[in-house]
Amino acid sequence: MKKIIIINGPNLNLLGIRETSIYGKQSFNDYLNELKTNYPTVKIEFYQSNVEGELINKIQEIGFTYDGIILNAAAYTHTSVGIADAIAAIQTPVIEVHISNIYEREEIRHTSLISKNVEGVICGFGLKSYALALEALI
Ligand code: DQA
């Protein structure tokens, strides 16, 4: 059974409550349960942190044993050399996802420091971006 982890960065613990016109009204737990039901043959784990160093620790911890990482680094996408370096250091393939289409938003969101180190990027499809990333990994 393939082992895949979804890692969500800062403020994504507030999905369903936070800026619902951009991120939608569904909580991530709710969506995760749907994903697990729809992909019963994949072991899907989940980790969320608002803390940059904790995200780096998690990437290092699972980055040599899991089959894939679906990473929404949220705001750290645009700022974190540390997360970009952690992705470059590990062996597990990483897919970068974003719920919103970051290219139709403010200019600061048009730059991703992590994209050059990932297998591919999926953005703009709402929470479905995670299912598309899962499809790509399996
Ligand atoms: C996001 C886009 C980021 O610019 C933002 O900081 C987020 C969420 C997305 O999923 O659309 O927190 O990664």
Side-chain angles (χ1 to χ4, degrees):
M1 201 185 235
K2 272 197 193 303
K3 237 166 54 171
I4 285 167
I5 188 165
I6 296 173
I7 300 180
N8 273 348
N11 302 306
L12 293 174
N13 54 313
L14 296 181
L15 283 176
I17 301 164
R18 167 196 188 202
E19 298 180 277
T20 53
S21 61
I22 300 172
Y23 300 113
K25 288 192 177 140
Q26 193 172 17
S27 75
F28 197 77
N29 256 349
D30 210 48
Y31 179 72
L32 186 62
N33 284 335
E34 274 179 24
L35 215 52
K36 285 178 176 169
T37 308
N38 292 342
Y39 293 88
T41 58
V42 187
K43 187 170 188 290
I44 305 171
E45 285 184 21
F46 173 60
Y47 179 78
Q48 191 276 332
S49 176
N50 294 321
V51 180
E52 186 175 11
E54 286 181 0
L55 294 165
I56 293 170
N57 282 344
K58 183 52 86 176
I59 290 166
Q60 288 187 11
E61 182 191 314
I62 49 91
F64 296 89
T65 48
Y66 280 50
D67 298 301
I69 298 174
I70 298 171
L71 174 66
N72 187 347
Y76 290 139
T77 304
H78 318 297
T79 63
S80 179
V81 176
I83 291 177
D85 284 352
I87 296 167
I90 60 166
Q91 284 162 2
T92 298
V94 177
I95 310 257
E96 174 183 350
V97 303
H98 301 284
I99 297 162
S100 63
N101 178 356
I102 54 176
Y103 299 102
E104 69 172 14
R105 300 182 62 194
E106 309 95 297
E107 212 170 318
I108 194 167
R109 297 183 204 277
H110 298 181
T111 303
S112 165
L113 298 187
I114 67 177
S115 292
K116 69 179 189 337
N117 297 341
V118 300
E119 301 295 309
V121 183
I122 297 169
C123 81
F125 296 97
L127 287 174
K128 202 179 168 201
S129 295
Y130 292 89
L132 294 170
L134 194 58
E135 285 286 342
L137 281 169
I138 58 184

